[in-house]
Amino acid sequence: MNQRKIRILFGLFLTLLVLIPVLTGNRPLLLERFELDLYDLRLQQTLLDEQDPRIVIVDVDEKTMSQEGRWPWSRDKVGAMVDRLFDQYGVAIVGFDVVFPEPDTQISRYTLQQISEGEANLNVRDLLKLSTYLYPDQRFADAIDSRPVVLGFPFDHGTLDRTGAKTVGALAAPVLAPDPRLASIPFLTADGMIGNLPLLQQRTLWGGFFDNPSVDVDGVYRRVPLLQRYEGQYYPSLALSMMMALFGETEVVPVIESDATGKHNAITAVEVAGIPVPVDEHSAVLVPYRGPQGSFPYVSATDVLRGTADPKVLDGAIVLIGTTAAGLFDLRVTPMSSRYPGVEVHANILSGMLDERIHHQPDYTVAVELVQLVLSGLLMSLLIPRLSVIRGGLLTLVWLSMILALNIYAWTELMWVIPLGYTLVLVVLLFLFQQMAGFFFETRNRMQLAGVFGQYIPPEIVAELNTEGTEAQLKGESRDMTVFFSDIRGFTGLSESLTPQQLTRMMNVYLTPMTEVIHSYRGTVDKYIGDAVMAFWGAPLEDAKHTRHALDAAMKMQAELDNVNTLLASEGLPAISVGMGLNCGEMNVGNMGSSFRMAYTVMGDAVNLGARLEGLTKFYGVSILVSGELVARVPEYRFMELDCARVKGRAEPVKLYQPLCLESELDSTTKEQVERFEAMVLAYRSREWEQALALLDQMDETVISPVLIELYRERIQGQMDTPSDDWDGVHNHSSK
């Protein structure tokens, strides 16, 4: 099969994979969120961005709280505010984005104040006695009686079996006439409700829920149900109930459509006062946001109570009473803001219904999306493999532009919300796939060759070579880094006793896990020199913990030697032991070499010291040696100071340490032996020979290297036999 056919078939297969979740309705969450983000983007770019003066929000804000006291207030104060709104300001209707489920048992200080101002001859005792006969709830009920007031309430969706579901207060009358078709429609169904006091709800015809069980998967308020089902009846949202109150309606008409068989029904709109409001299958409406917070006039509730509000703002207005004070928890996440007042969400819905400005998805939305996807899949799969990269890119841009133009037209002119995310993802995926497939087929042979040699190149360098600006980073620079050297002890003798095949096998068994450990701890293998390994940490990628990572790797490599030797023994090969040296400091790193061959490597005095440390491991009989500089940078580890020495090629003495384990993993026996050895070294440097020898005699050779014990015993005996006046306790190494 030729390459073009393979690309076409894979393109069609990819298209089918994208079609399946659309057909089944089981869309991945990531793509669902992408679709929601695209919806938000279209909404934000087409906002009216102007205030709607018809709807005014009377706000229990911070100013109101500071002047009127904390919420909730006494009901007589709320009743007084209702009287002010209708009698003084002449508002059209009032809706409450709050609920009044419990009786008000507070002493009515507000009413006492009003009586005191009108009845100055009453003393305090008379007023207190009179207060027992005052009913704040009755005062509020009288204020809303026979007025177009809508009381809000929340439904309870706590449990499916209604165990523990709340049922408090009373509801207004349901708003849908009995219709057998309603039973098959998937209305959102409540388990309980928190209604208003019967005394209050009986005084008004209207009530609407303000909870929203239709919040999207990302927690954003994009849609709100206009109807919910409770105990077989259907109740309106706060915005829908206010629309009904505005036109004096007590019922709405559902627009229900059936399929050709008449067995499947779907609600497509809710008609109120002759105005159809498009909804989805759950009777939810997409919130028609006008703009950011402040798209409606706000009036502080305290200004209404005190009669200082601007009459021009409130005259004939539709009033929503709600809260924006932070402590009252009525802020929502919306496409406009992450802290958007919940009361303004209802105002946007009401404004959109009045203007018949509601975006919606027609019932054939899925069919439109499928046509988009199929056409995109066929176009990209059949044509792109025949075109060059430039022509294929131009075709993709033209097709994407056409899809976007049609989508924007549907959004702005028809108020349709046509899904866009899946189509964009499919087009981009197909374009990238086709171009990558073409590149793969053209470079397959070169990639196979690169795969053979790529094992010698550290993955980090390969990754960085593929990033922008890497060329400059590969040039020589000075960095703080950690270098590592290791060498198999007695390798010359081993190599002479093995056949070439056995030697190759032994090196492969050893170097493979060692290299894996280095890479797993973010290290870069510099080179293999026979049995020796050189690696470094801190380049080409920055690593703030390069010293810790290097030491962790060295300890892990020593532990891994047990598995290596087990495998070697199973193949009849000799066991190996390895010495390792580590040092950190300023090093020169970069791409170095000649025009014939380049190598990314490190150089400098700190590198040379690391190599010397590895060479001294055999001298001291330990597996790992590190410098004092490295010890200071890794306080989490426990080290044992072995010696202070001058290495070849370096005039300044260097303290040499053996890493033991993490401080938290140090057992009592090892700790005792290490402290004893360090006390011996201190006595040795203080020329207290007898004490040093006595401590050496107490050393446990399973903890302290026998080679090290014998080394110090010889040094001490030499100083006792032939004392030297200029002896400074620093040993001079003459060999590498």
Side-chain angles (χ1 to χ4, degrees):
M1 187 180 294
N2 62 41
Q3 300 175 8
R4 182 176 296 175
K5 288 184 179 179
I6 293 176
R7 293 171 65 182
I8 290 173
L9 290 176
F10 270 98
L12 295 175
F13 177 71
L14 185 59
T15 302
L16 180 61
L17 289 181
V18 175
L19 286 173
I20 290 174
V22 177
L23 291 168
T24 60
N26 187 21
R27 305 185 184 219
L29 180 60
L30 181 63
L31 292 179
E32 192 69 19
R33 290 197 172 189
F34 178 56
E35 189 69 68
L36 294 175
D37 290 338
L38 289 174
Y39 172 85
D40 293 347
L41 181 63
R42 283 172 285 181
L43 183 65
Q44 293 160 4
Q45 297 302 314
T46 56
L47 296 172
L48 295 179
D49 208 16
E50 59 182 19
Q51 275 196 346
D52 183 353
R54 299 169 300 180
I55 302 172
V56 177
I57 296 173
V58 173
D59 187 12
V60 181
D61 53 9
E62 302 291 351
K63 174 184 174 182
T64 299
M65 299 275 281
S66 64
Q67 295 188 10
E68 304 296 337
R70 64 182 181 84
W71 183 269
W73 301 330
S74 176
R75 301 282 163 76
D76 61 338
K77 181 180 289 191
V78 181
M81 182 168 63
V82 172
D83 284 338
R84 287 270 194 187
L85 287 170
F86 282 102
D87 297 337
Q88 178 177 340
Y89 292 107
V91 301
I93 65 169
V94 171
F96 281 91
D97 187 23
V98 292
V99 64
F100 305 99
E102 299 171 349
D104 186 352
T105 59
Q106 302 180 63
I107 294 178
S108 178
R109 297 183 180 276
Y110 180 80
T111 301
L112 289 177
Q113 179 183 353
Q114 300 301 311
I115 295 175
S116 178
E117 292 174 355
E119 302 288 343
N121 59 331
L122 292 176
N123 58 38
V124 174
R125 180 177 297 175
D126 293 332
L127 293 175
L128 290 174
K129 184 177 180 180
L130 181 60
S131 70
T132 61
Y133 301 102
L134 298 175
Y135 295 95
D137 289 324
Q138 184 64 51
R139 170 75 177 85
F140 184 27
D142 292 340
I144 66 176
D145 191 23
S146 302
R147 283 174 169 167
V149 173
V150 181
L151 297 180
F153 66 90
F155 277 119
D156 179 20
H157 295 267
T159 56
L160 294 177
D161 60 1
R162 299 191 56 186
T163 301
K166 298 178 181 178
T167 302
V168 178
L171 294 175
V175 296
L176 291 186
D179 188 332
R181 297 178 298 170
L182 295 175
S184 62
I185 295 175
F187 287 101
L188 294 167
T189 301
D191 301 315
M193 62 87 183
I194 305 175
N196 291 281
L197 283 173
L199 173 65
L200 301 177
Q201 191 61 67
Q202 290 166 3
R203 296 300 184 92
T204 179
L205 296 175
W206 300 281
F209 62 83
F210 51 71
D211 61 293
N212 181 17
S214 294
V215 178
D216 284 321
V217 293
D218 55 356
V220 178
Y221 270 55
R222 295 185 182 86
R223 62 186 72 238
V224 174
L226 291 187
L227 296 166
Q228 287 195 62
R229 181 160 43 206
Y230 177 62
E231 294 186 341
Q233 300 292 341
Y234 302 88
Y235 298 91
S237 69
L238 179 60
L240 181 60
S241 189
M242 291 186 69
M243 186 78 168
M244 295 165 59
L246 183 64
F247 291 98
E249 301 283 346
T250 57
E251 287 190 350
V252 296
V253 179
V255 179
I256 300 175
E257 296 183 0
S258 303
D259 60 8
T261 64
K263 296 180 179 179
H264 299 91
N265 302 312
I267 186 170
T268 60
V270 174
E271 189 175 298
V272 54
I275 300 174
V277 182
V279 295
D280 65 12
E281 68 273 17
H282 302 293
S283 82
V285 63
L286 290 168
V287 181
Y289 291 101
R290 297 181 65 89
Q293 180 181 355
S295 296
F296 303 88
Y298 276 73
V299 175
S300 184
T302 188
D303 293 339
V304 174
L305 276 168
R306 296 168 187 256
T308 59
D310 186 354
K312 295 180 181 179
V313 175
L314 289 167
D315 185 29
I318 302 167
V319 170
L320 262 167
I321 298 176
T323 66
T324 62
L328 299 181
F329 306 106
D330 193 32
L331 299 175
R332 303 287 181 255
V333 180
T334 71
M336 302 297 101
S337 168
S338 60
R339 293 173 58 83
Y340 194 85
V343 64
E344 196 163 338
V345 174
H346 304 300
N348 278 286
I349 297 172
L350 183 55
S351 175
M353 289 192 292
L354 289 171
D355 294 336
E356 299 186 50
R357 182 182 51 83
I358 304 286
H359 284 98
H360 63 284
Q361 291 185 326
D363 53 359
Y364 44 83
T365 298
V366 174
V368 174
E369 186 177 15
L370 288 173
V371 170
Q372 282 184 170
L373 290 170
V374 171
L375 289 178
S376 298
L378 291 175
L379 182 73
M380 302 296 292
S381 299
L382 298 177
L383 295 184
I384 296 298
R386 294 176 168 83
L387 301 175
S388 65
V389 175
I390 295 177
R391 291 183 177 179
L394 289 174
L395 175 64
T396 302
L397 288 176
V398 170
W399 180 243
L400 283 176
S401 300
M402 291 176 59
I403 293 173
L404 291 173
L406 290 173
N407 195 279
I408 293 171
Y409 173 80
W411 175 278
T412 56
E413 300 300 325
L414 305 176
M415 305 298 287
W416 289 354
V417 182
I418 303 300
L420 187 59
Y422 268 67
T423 304
L424 294 182
V425 168
L426 177 62
V427 171
V428 172
L429 283 179
L430 285 174
F431 176 75
L432 293 177
F433 164 75
Q434 295 293 355
Q435 302 307 328
M436 290 175 63
F439 177 78
F440 169 78
F441 285 123
E442 292 174 4
T443 60
R444 181 172 52 182
N445 292 335
R446 281 185 291 169
M447 290 179 65
Q448 289 175 345
L449 291 175
V452 174
F453 295 101
Q455 57 186 308
Y456 302 108
I457 303 173
E460 291 79 2
I461 295 180
V462 175
E464 201 162 305
L465 286 171
N466 289 325
T467 61
E468 193 170 355
T470 301
E471 182 177 354
Q473 295 176 3
L474 292 178
K475 294 179 180 179
E477 59 178 317
S478 180
R479 274 197 197 180
D480 183 71
M481 299 170 56
T482 301
V483 70
F484 164 92
F485 290 89
S486 70
D487 192 52
I488 297 178
R489 290 180 181 158
F491 180 73
T492 301
L494 286 175
S495 61
E496 290 175 351
S497 64
L498 299 174
T499 65
Q501 292 78 11
Q502 289 176 320
L503 183 61
T504 300
R505 175 58 182 163
M506 183 182 75
M507 292 307 301
N508 289 339
V509 169
Y510 162 66
L511 290 175
T512 297
M514 299 299 107
T515 304
E516 288 176 352
V517 171
I518 291 171
H519 285 172
S520 68
Y521 284 93
R522 297 173 58 86
T524 298
V525 176
D526 186 308
K527 60 177 69 72
Y528 305 117
I529 311 170
D531 62 312
V533 178
M534 176 181 176
F536 52 81
W537 279 257
L541 302 177
E542 294 283 357
D543 183 359
K545 298 181 179 180
H546 59 81
T547 305
R548 172 65 188 271
H549 290 156
L551 183 55
D552 285 343
M555 300 294 284
K556 177 68 173 177
M557 291 162 74
Q558 283 292 341
E560 192 67 24
L561 278 178
D562 291 338
N563 296 330
V564 171
N565 284 327
T566 299
L567 181 56
L568 291 175
S570 68
E571 299 185 15
L573 296 172
I576 60 176
S577 61
V578 178
M580 301 175 182
L582 293 96
N583 186 38
C584 58
E586 288 292 322
M587 306 175 191
N588 295 320
V589 60
N591 226 15
M592 305 177 191
S594 67
S595 58
F596 297 98
R597 182 169 180 173
M598 301 291 288
Y600 190 78
T601 188
V602 290
M603 295 181 180
D605 182 61
V607 179
N608 296 335
L609 178 57
R612 300 292 184 271
L613 294 176
E614 179 275 314
L616 293 175
T617 54
K618 184 177 180 181
F619 180 83
Y620 290 99
V622 296
S623 57
I624 306 176
L625 270 181
V626 302
S627 64
E629 174 68 21
L630 188 144
V631 170
R633 296 193 189 188
V634 193
E636 306 95 323
Y637 266 85
R638 183 67 163 93
F639 299 87
M640 183 171 70
E641 183 180 349
L642 303 186
D643 200 2
C644 184
R646 294 183 182 90
V647 300
K648 186 173 182 180
R650 191 182 178 104
E652 293 296 323
V654 179
K655 287 189 175 182
L656 309 179
Y657 293 83
Q658 177 189 5
L660 301 174
C661 61
L662 287 169
E663 192 75 48
S664 59
E665 298 175 356
L666 186 68
D667 61 80
S668 58
T669 301
T670 303
K671 182 179 180 181
E672 179 185 353
Q673 287 293 314
V674 170
E675 290 175 349
R676 184 171 296 156
F677 181 84
E678 291 176 340
M680 183 279 299
V681 172
L682 183 61
Y684 166 73
R685 291 174 182 169
S686 301
R687 299 174 182 257
E688 298 173 358
W689 313 122
E690 297 295 339
Q691 181 182 354
L693 284 174
L695 289 170
L696 280 176
D697 291 338
Q698 301 174 37
M699 297 295 173
D700 184 349
E701 293 188 356
T702 63
V703 178
I704 308 300
S705 167
V707 174
L708 192 60
I709 295 173
E710 187 60 29
L711 173 67
Y712 270 96
R713 197 182 301 279
E714 291 177 1
R715 286 185 184 179
I716 294 170
Q717 195 63 50
Q719 287 296 321
M720 293 176 67
D721 295 341
T722 311
S724 174
D725 294 335
D726 60 351
W727 181 84
D728 59 0
V730 177
H731 183 75
N732 296 307
H733 287 283
S734 58
S735 62
K736 297 182 180 180

